[in-house]
């Protein structure tokens, strides 16, 4: 339009919107779009090459390829290894050509790389065919959004899932290498911290094994959470350079999404009088996709985990700034962008840390939603079909921003009406709650949200307004209810309650254990049960994958079980384990069971000696507590119990000491960098260990060990070595726990409180096979009230422990004063004193039971036999039926499809 002409519409009369401004610091080369950018215009945000074909496109391309070319392609595609020589040929080829190494300088790291690349070649074939099959089937998919995916080592898992580990082991032996040494070369993928991330990894394994069309979405952390080092007893955080060599990811530089931050929102009315909004200005950061194949067990289905890395939209390097002498600022844009995907859970004690965490969450949610929406639009379906084709599971509150983001896409970009868009959003999302601790439910200040995501805050306010209007109409006499259920907390400053937004924006909300789901409905979300009714809330008790946590972590036990069951079918149907209970009195079976446990303990003892210099007696009772360090998980109760045991041993005569059951207490886990109290617990554990382990009067009767830098790979040799494991959280605080399941599946018994999944484990394996102690969840609030307002008496035995700490027995007492004072003077919120006597008495019962080898072995075998319920396969089937409404897609026959009954039975024999 010429400048002299009169604008004809309201939108054309807005000259301020003729140029899309960006923040100078992130001046991305964006199209010079003239005129208002409203919902009728789809931004050029997501770039994808021709690999993003729909089913019809693929068929058209395939039919255009001449038959001779297809035959040649098929002929030379990688084939399944038929024998060890096939593996050797490919591994050597990769060492020689991919790595430019030779026979003379091929070390274990190089051979790991060659082995991984050889298996990756075959995995990719199944991966490609799986994605193509899912595109052709055009069925509903599940997208699992999790800020953590604690995947563990990929090579061993891949070899076992395609059931060719024996072939590789033989081939490696012929090349002069041991399989165990090669596996040890792999870095753990540092994409998670604790149970949340490991649950997500188990779920991905089960989704692929059960042939469900699924994608996982997460962040590609350059340095993970951190690598833990123990220096003078203190936790020290150092970067975890796990991406030095990672053959399991594929950079998709052609799959990028522009992610917007800051800026402002423009509103105007179009020619029809409809109010429209566009989010303008601010800065752009580019999300780049990295894909990781996730193979199923005994199937050719290989699903995808897509991780997003961040980079500056304007490029990595500003030549103009460099040439003008601004050397540091020439790379500042890239450095600032990369911080988004640098570290899992950046310390949020500072405001800048809070902003970075919120940035992380939106960056990952926006990139994932853009990808999901692109994939749906490729099918050509109407928007009303979106929720019938797409299910999105929110793993905790971290991905909750996906709810307003999808609403923004639908109303601002795709032009849908609010009510139609909200109906789609509501039917698409489901939310898994993982905690009943109010302080663990995410909240973000309104000011921060306004600054970083102005359009999303508007949408959240509109969601809240419509919800509160519904509540007011439904409960007109309950005015206080409005404040209790509002997404916006009227505090100072005002806060956005992410858990409430997740509940309101989802069609289903589930807890992860029966007790937890009941507590969710009667405590933190009870008002929402009143508003929505009980049908919106359900329970899916967590589970673990037996492929990783029995077959891979404890292959000898897996083989023993398979020898009695006639094969490895139990790895895909864990309920078959109940058949081994028939062999509980079989003398040879029991003897081998005991030998396997002893061998696993000897392996752990070797590791401890090599890494710490501490010598352990493998015939001692191995007592293990490995998990995230947190006050509610009560590692402090455990170490206080160790001090109590130490004092008791010191007071014994020589004759009394002969009757003591030797015990090794092992701790492992990381404390959040900003969680000072948890780091104090680690410090105390190490200082107590220094004293006890060097006391000649105690000797082998008690050892205390802290395993540095606990991760999935270390769990794989810790879990099979346990005689007893500790799951001792304050009743009502642990949502579920999955480490308890892993320990029992490997023949270890539990000491635990009536909390989380301990209750259901007790129901399955029987009260005689678990050691429970402590107060019940229904008594917790009254006890806490008495601590503050009533009479509170510190347990006498615990007081003696505190006397030793305060007298400097374990070093500078001032270092531990906060830990002691939290119990003595500040209410003992986690009821350590209330449960201490019960805890110590139960440990005495464990000692007596362990003396009776036959009784202990019977408990161990019986417990494993009754663990069939706790499979992540069962979890996924429940999610699929009750929450997602998805069906499996039968895999197409490929060269890599596995005959379960064949190779597994052979190896079991």
């Amino acid at each position: 339009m010429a400048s002299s002409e009169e604008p004809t519409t309201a939108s054309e009369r807005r000259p301020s919107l003729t140029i899309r401004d960006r923040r100078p610091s992130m001046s991305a080369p964006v199209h010079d779009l003239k005129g208002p950018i409203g919902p009728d215009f789809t931004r050029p945000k997501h770039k994808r090459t021709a690999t993003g074909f729909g089913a019809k496109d693929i068929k058209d391309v395939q039919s255009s390829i001449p038959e001779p070319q297809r035959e040649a392609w098929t002929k030379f595609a990688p084939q399944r290894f038929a024998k060890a020589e096939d593996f050797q040929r490919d591994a050597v080829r990769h060492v020689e050509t991919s790595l430019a190494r030779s026979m003379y300088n091929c070390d274990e790291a190089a051979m790991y790389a060659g082995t991984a690349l050889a298996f990756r070649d075959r995995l990719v074939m199944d991966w490609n065919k799986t994605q193509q099959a899912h595109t052709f089937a055009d069925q509903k998919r599940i997208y699992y959004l999790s800020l953590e995916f604690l995947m563990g080592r990929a090579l061993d898992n891949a070899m076992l899932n395609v059931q060719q580990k024996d072939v590789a082991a033989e081939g490696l032996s012929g090349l002069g290498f041991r399989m165990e040494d090669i596996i040890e070369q792999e870095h753990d993928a540092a994409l998670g911290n604790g149970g949340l991330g490991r649950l997500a990894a188990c779920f991905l394994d089960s989704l692929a094994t059960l042939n469900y069309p699924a994608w996982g979405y997460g962040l590609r952390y350059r340095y993970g959470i951190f690598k833990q080092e123990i220096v003078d007893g203190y936790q020290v955080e150092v970067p975890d350079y796990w991406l030095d060599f990672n053959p399991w990811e594929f950079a998709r530089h052609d799959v990028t999404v522009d992610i917007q931050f800051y800026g402002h929102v423009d509103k105007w009315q179009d020619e029809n009088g409809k109010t429209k909004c566009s989010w303008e200005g601010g800065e752009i950061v580019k999300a780049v996709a990295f894909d990781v194949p996730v193979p199923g067990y005994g199937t050719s289905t290989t699903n995808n985990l897509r991780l997003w890395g961040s980079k500056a939209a304007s490029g990595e390097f500003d030549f103009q700034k460099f040439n003008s002498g601004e050397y540091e600022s020439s790379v500042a844009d890239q450095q600032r962008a990369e911080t988004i995907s640098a570290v899992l859970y950046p310390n949020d004690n500072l405001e800048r840390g809070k902003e970075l965490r919120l940035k992380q969450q939106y960056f990952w949610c926006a990139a994932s939603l853009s990808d999901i929406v692109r994939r749906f639009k490729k099918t050509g379906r109407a928007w009303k079909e979106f929720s019938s084709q797409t299910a999105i599971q929110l793993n905790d509150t971290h991905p909750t921003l996906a709810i307003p983001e999808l609403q923004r896409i639908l109303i601002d970009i795709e032009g849908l009406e609010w009510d139609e868009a909200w109906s789609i959003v509501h039917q698409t999302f489901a939310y898994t709650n993982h905690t009943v601790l109010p302080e663990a439910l995410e909240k973000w200040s309104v000011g921060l949200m306004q600054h970083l995501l102005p359009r999303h805050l508007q949408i959240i306010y509109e969601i809240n307004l419509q919800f509160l209007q519904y509540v007011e109409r439904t409960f007109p006499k309950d005015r206080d209810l409005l404040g209790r259920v509002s997404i916006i907390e009227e505090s100072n400053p005002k806060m956005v309650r992410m858990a409430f937004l997740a509940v309101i924006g989802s069609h289903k909300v589930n807890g992860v254990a029966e007790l937890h789901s009941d507590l969710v409905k009667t405590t933190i979300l009870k008002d929402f049960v009143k508003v929505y009714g009980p049908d919106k809330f359900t329970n899916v008790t967590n589970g673990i994958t037996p492929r990783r946590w029995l077959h891979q972590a404890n292959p000898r036990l897996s083989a023993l079980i398979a020898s009695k069951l006639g094969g490895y079918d139990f790895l895909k149907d864990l309920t078959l384990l109940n058949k081994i209970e028939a062999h509980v009195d079989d003398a040879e079976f029991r003897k081998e069971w005991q030998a396997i446990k002893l061998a696993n303990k000897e392996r752990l003892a070797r590791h401890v000696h090599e890494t710490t210099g501490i010598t352990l007696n493998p015939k001692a009772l191995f007592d293990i507590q490995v998990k995230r360090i947190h006050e509610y998980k009560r590692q402090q109760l455990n170490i206080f119990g160790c001090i109590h045991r130490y004092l008791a041993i010191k007071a014994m005569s020589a004759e009394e000491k002969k009757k003591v059951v030797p015990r090794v207490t092992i701790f492992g886990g990381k404390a959040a960098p900003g969680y000072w109290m948890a780091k104090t617990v680690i410090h105390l554990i190490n200082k107590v260990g220094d004293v006890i382990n060097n006391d000649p009067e105690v000797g082998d009767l008690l050892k205390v060990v802290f395993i540095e830098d606990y991760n999935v790979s270390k769990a794989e040799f810790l879990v099979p070595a346990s005689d007893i494991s500790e799951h001792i959280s304050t009743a009502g605080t642990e949502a579920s726990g999955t480490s308890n399941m892993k320990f029992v599946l490997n023949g270890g018994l539990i000491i635990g409180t009536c909390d989380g999944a301990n209750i259901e484990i007790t129901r399955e394996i029987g009260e005689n096979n678990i050691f429970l102690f402590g107060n019940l969840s229904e008594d917790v609030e009254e006890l806490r009230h008495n601590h503050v307002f009533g009479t509170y008496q510190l347990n006498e035995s615990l007081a003696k422990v505190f006397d030793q700490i305060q007298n400097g027995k374990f070093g500078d007492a001032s270092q531990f004063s906060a830990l002691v004072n939290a119990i003595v003077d500040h209410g003992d919120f986690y009821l350590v004193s209330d449960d201490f006597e019960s805890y110590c008495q139960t440990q005495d019962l464990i000692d007596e039971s362990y003396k009776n080898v036959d009784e202990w072995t019977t408990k161990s075998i019986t417990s494993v036999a009754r663990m069939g319920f706790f499979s992540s396969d069962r979890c996924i089937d429940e999610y699929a039926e009750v929450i997602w409404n998805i069906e499996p897609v039968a895999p197409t026959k490929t060269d890599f499809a596995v005959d379960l009954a064949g190779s597994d039975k052979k190896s079991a024999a």
Side-chain angles (χ1 to χ4, degrees):
M1 181 185 295
S3 58
S4 60
E5 293 181 0
E6 184 69 16
T8 57
T9 66
S11 61
E12 288 175 333
R13 292 193 294 270
R14 298 168 61 250
S16 62
L17 289 181
T18 55
I19 295 180
R20 302 175 71 205
D21 294 328
R22 296 293 181 204
R23 255 192 179 186
S25 61
M26 297 293 275
S27 50
V30 184
H31 297 271
D32 290 331
L33 301 169
K34 305 298 182 183
I37 309 301
D40 297 326
F41 181 84
T42 301
R43 296 168 187 257
K45 283 186 69 177
H46 197 138
K47 303 183 183 73
R48 191 68 166 103
T49 60
T51 54
F53 282 146
K56 182 179 182 303
D57 301 319
I58 294 172
K59 290 176 181 176
D60 289 344
V61 172
Q62 281 186 337
S63 63
S64 69
I65 300 173
E67 190 63 34
Q69 293 179 20
R70 286 195 229 179
E71 289 179 2
W73 199 276
T74 303
K75 179 180 179 181
F76 296 110
Q79 305 297 316
R80 181 177 165 82
F81 300 129
K83 52 187 182 297
E85 287 181 8
D86 297 339
F87 163 77
Q88 288 174 331
R89 182 185 61 248
D90 267 28
V92 169
R93 177 176 60 83
H94 275 298
V95 171
E96 293 271 3
T97 61
S98 302
L99 306 177
R101 303 286 279 270
S102 69
M103 179 170 57
Y104 306 105
N105 64 354
C106 178
D107 57 10
E108 289 169 350
M111 185 49 68
Y112 159 73
T115 302
L117 291 169
F119 271 93
R120 190 187 77 166
D121 289 348
R122 280 135 189 84
L123 209 59
V124 167
M125 298 300 294
D126 278 350
W127 191 27
N128 288 336
K129 290 178 182 178
T130 298
Q131 301 313 309
Q132 192 177 96
H134 290 172
T135 299
F136 282 148
D138 201 18
Q139 291 182 196
K140 187 175 186 179
R141 295 196 199 199
I142 170 64
Y143 298 101
Y144 197 82
L145 270 60
S146 179
L147 200 56
E148 297 185 41
F149 285 97
L150 206 54
M151 302 300 291
R153 289 172 174 159
L155 174 60
D156 200 14
N157 184 65
M159 290 188 296
L160 286 168
N161 275 9
V162 301
Q163 290 159 310
Q164 294 226 278
K165 187 173 181 179
D166 292 344
V167 174
E170 183 183 345
L172 285 169
S173 178
L175 295 170
F177 294 92
R178 293 192 325 140
M179 174 62 77
E180 295 81 4
D181 297 330
I182 298 306
I183 289 172
E184 283 295 316
Q185 301 305 308
E186 183 175 354
H187 294 293
D188 270 37
L191 300 172
N193 178 33
L196 182 84
R198 187 51 232 172
L199 179 74
C202 284
F203 279 4
L204 290 186
D205 178 273
S206 288
L207 283 162
T209 298
L210 298 174
N211 301 312
Y212 286 109
W215 281 52
Y217 279 104
L219 269 176
R220 180 181 180 264
Y221 306 102
R222 184 178 295 270
Y223 304 114
I225 182 165
F226 58 82
K227 188 176 179 65
Q228 181 193 55
E229 293 182 358
I230 302 300
V231 179
D232 296 329
Y234 293 94
Q235 170 180 294
V236 176
E237 303 93 24
V238 298
D240 185 356
Y241 299 103
W242 71 281
L243 281 170
D244 285 351
F245 175 75
N246 182 17
W248 303 104
E249 71 172 15
F250 292 80
R252 304 294 197 188
H253 295 297
D254 56 326
V255 185
T256 62
V257 186
D258 289 341
I259 308 299
Q260 186 175 358
F261 297 105
Y262 310 111
H264 61 277
V265 180
D266 285 316
K267 282 189 177 183
W268 75 97
Q269 289 186 328
D270 65 10
E271 56 272 16
N272 299 317
K274 179 182 177 181
T275 300
K276 297 195 173 186
C277 296
S278 65
W279 181 15
E280 299 299 329
E283 72 177 25
I284 296 291
V285 176
K286 192 177 292 293
V288 180
F290 293 81
D291 289 347
V292 179
V294 181
Y297 175 77
T299 175
S300 61
T301 297
T302 302
N303 283 335
N304 195 39
L305 169 60
R306 175 156 286 178
L307 305 172
W308 298 103
S310 55
K311 62 183 292 186
S314 56
E316 298 182 10
F317 185 71
D318 190 321
F319 230 113
Q320 282 69 36
K321 287 183 179 179
F322 185 84
N323 285 339
S324 62
E326 301 174 55
Y327 305 124
E328 290 79 12
S329 62
S330 66
V331 292
D333 287 356
Q334 178 65 7
Q335 289 174 342
R336 187 168 54 257
E338 285 185 350
T339 59
I340 294 174
S341 59
V343 176
L344 168 64
Y345 300 138
N347 191 347
D348 63 355
N349 289 354
L350 303 172
E351 281 305 311
R352 290 185 66 189
K354 289 183 172 66
E355 181 175 328
L356 180 55
R357 285 186 71 157
L358 187 57
K359 254 189 172 182
Q360 276 189 337
Q361 292 184 10
Y362 176 66
F363 173 86
W364 149 61
C365 289
S368 303
L369 258 293
S370 180
D371 209 41
I372 293 166
V373 166
R374 171 193 61 79
R375 196 169 294 114
F376 171 76
K377 291 177 72 173
K378 189 172 64 178
T379 67
R381 282 185 163 86
W383 278 110
K384 63 182 180 181
E385 298 182 59
F386 185 83
S387 58
S388 64
Q389 288 294 109
T390 306
I392 302 176
Q393 188 69 32
L394 307 176
N395 192 29
D396 213 354
T397 53
H398 308 127
T400 304
L401 284 170
I403 291 172
E405 172 65 7
L406 181 56
Q407 183 74 0
R408 185 188 72 83
I409 291 170
L410 295 178
I411 61 175
D412 288 0
I413 298 176
E414 300 299 335
L416 273 65
E417 296 293 336
W418 177 278
D419 289 344
E420 181 186 3
W422 182 246
S423 176
I424 292 169
V425 170
H426 183 259
Q427 289 302 315
T428 297
F429 287 101
Y431 162 52
T432 300
N433 175 277
H434 283 276
T435 184
V436 294
L437 298 176
E439 66 270 21
L441 295 175
E442 280 193 314
K443 298 177 186 177
W444 298 106
S445 73
V446 168
L448 175 58
M449 189 79 75
Q450 172 67 45
H451 174 58
L452 190 67
L453 303 168
R455 180 59 179 139
H456 295 78
L457 183 63
Q458 289 181 350
I459 291 171
I460 289 169
Y461 265 104
E462 183 63 27
I463 292 169
N464 195 43
L465 174 63
Q466 297 205 10
F467 171 68
L468 293 181
Q469 287 174 341
Y470 165 77
V471 173
E472 190 173 35
R473 291 194 304 271
T474 310
F475 305 95
K477 295 182 180 179
D478 192 348
R479 304 296 299 179
D480 292 338
L481 180 62
L482 295 176
R484 295 199 304 271
V485 299
S486 173
I487 297 172
I488 307 300
E489 179 181 271
E490 298 296 331
S491 53
N492 187 20
K494 291 185 178 182
M495 306 294 285
V496 181
R497 297 158 160 163
M498 302 306 281
F500 289 13
L501 176 59
V503 172
I504 294 166
S506 300
H507 68 279
K508 277 288 184 184
V509 177
N510 73 281
V512 289
E514 285 183 4
L515 174 65
H516 169 239
S517 296
D518 289 342
L519 286 171
V520 164
K521 290 189 288 187
T522 56
T523 57
I524 56 173
L525 299 181
K526 65 180 180 180
D527 290 317
F528 290 94
V529 177
K530 178 179 179 180
V531 171
Y532 289 116
D535 290 346
K536 181 167 183 165
F537 301 85
T538 188
N539 172 68
V540 181
T541 298
N542 282 346
I544 57 174
T545 166
R547 275 80 63 180
R548 169 80 67 167
W549 293 110
L550 180 56
H551 193 47
Q552 182 174 332
N554 204 345
R556 192 170 159 189
L557 183 61
S558 182
L560 176 63
I561 293 170
S563 70
K564 295 299 182 184
L565 301 186
Y568 285 89
D569 290 348
F570 68 93
L571 294 176
K572 293 192 78 168
D573 180 4
L574 200 59
T575 60
L576 295 174
L577 280 181
N578 60 25
K579 295 181 180 179
I580 67 168
E581 196 165 352
H583 302 280
V584 71
D585 296 321
D586 182 331
E588 285 300 314
F589 183 71
R590 293 168 66 88
K591 183 178 179 182
E592 177 64 8
W593 192 277
Q594 293 166 0
I596 290 168
K597 178 62 72 175
L598 181 60
N600 287 328
K601 291 166 71 174
E602 289 171 344
R603 179 177 61 165
L604 175 55
R606 284 194 301 272
H607 172 82
V608 169
H609 188 263
E610 289 167 3
T611 55
T612 68
I614 300 170
T615 301
L616 305 181
N617 174 13
K619 294 186 179 179
L621 188 153
F622 276 32
D623 175 349
I624 300 178
Q625 185 180 20
V626 284
K627 53 188 73 206
R628 183 165 53 93
I629 309 294
H630 197 290
E631 287 172 277
Y632 89 81
K633 294 182 182 286
R634 296 204 296 190
Q635 286 92 350
Q636 68 272 36
L637 173 60
N638 189 349
I639 193 60
F640 294 154
C642 290
I643 297 172
H644 172 74
R645 179 179 289 266
Y646 171 66
L647 297 176
I649 293 172
K650 292 280 284 183
M652 290 179 182
S653 66
E655 285 301 311
E656 289 172 322
K657 287 179 182 177
K658 291 178 182 178
K659 300 176 184 178
V660 172
V661 175
R663 183 177 292 232
V664 174
T665 301
I666 297 173
F667 296 84
K670 297 177 180 178
Y675 192 176
W676 183 68
M677 192 72 89
K679 295 172 87 168
T680 302
V681 173
I682 292 175
H683 186 207
L684 179 61
I685 291 169
N686 283 291
K687 288 302 180 183
V688 170
D690 288 344
V691 172
I692 293 176
N693 299 337
N694 293 294
D695 190 330
E697 292 184 21
V698 175
D700 281 348
L701 294 183
L702 181 60
K703 297 289 185 185
V704 174
V705 177
F706 189 90
I707 300 292
E708 187 179 81
D709 200 39
Y710 175 65
N711 57 23
V712 175
S713 296
K714 289 179 180 172
E716 287 171 13
F717 62 75
L718 281 160
V719 168
S722 81
D723 293 306
I724 201 84
S725 60
E726 308 228 2
H727 310 277
I728 56 177
S729 53
T730 309
T733 59
E734 183 72 84
S736 168
T738 53
S739 65
N740 44 9
M741 303 168 191
K742 294 162 194 163
F743 281 105
V744 178
L745 186 61
N746 282 272
L749 305 186
I750 284 178
I751 176 172
T753 49
C754 292
D755 196 26
N758 286 352
I759 294 170
E760 288 158 276
I761 290 175
T762 303
R763 186 176 64 201
E764 294 293 321
I765 69 174
E767 292 183 8
N768 293 331
N769 299 312
I770 190 170
F771 298 92
L772 297 175
F773 75 95
N775 288 282
L776 303 178
S777 60
E778 51 264 38
D779 301 323
V780 167
E781 284 307 314
E782 184 178 349
L783 288 168
R784 286 173 175 162
H785 184 272
N786 288 339
H787 288 182
V788 179
F789 301 105
T791 57
Y792 171 59
Q793 182 97 24
L794 183 66
N795 176 271
E796 187 177 333
S797 298
L798 186 58
K800 292 178 181 178
V801 169
F802 288 168
D803 286 343
Q804 292 295 312
I805 294 172
Q806 291 168 329
N807 290 338
K809 178 70 175 177
F810 306 106
D812 184 355
S814 65
Q815 297 291 316
F816 312 116
S817 58
L819 200 57
V820 173
N821 292 341
I823 297 167
V824 177
D825 299 323
H826 300 298
D828 189 13
F829 186 78
Y830 295 104
L831 309 186
V832 173
S833 177
D834 298 271
D835 285 349
F836 190 73
E837 192 67 34
S838 175
Y839 176 72
C840 293
Q841 290 172 355
T842 305
Q843 292 285 16
D844 293 339
L845 291 175
I846 291 169
D847 287 341
E848 288 304 309
S849 183
Y850 189 72
K851 290 177 183 177
N852 187 330
V853 177
D854 286 340
E855 177 191 322
W856 192 272
T857 303
T858 298
K859 289 177 183 289
S860 176
I861 295 171
T862 305
S863 297
V864 174
R866 297 175 181 178
M867 282 296 289
F869 176 77
F870 298 101
S871 168
S872 53
D873 295 351
R874 184 265 313 156
C875 296
I876 290 302
D877 279 333
E878 287 186 17
Y879 274 103
E881 182 176 351
V882 177
I883 297 175
W884 301 333
N885 190 29
I886 62 170
E887 297 289 337
V889 175
T892 55
K893 181 170 173 53
T894 75
D895 294 328
F896 309 127
V898 177
D899 175 13
L900 264 179
S903 61
D904 271 344
K905 283 182 180 176
K906 182 178 177 182
S907 59

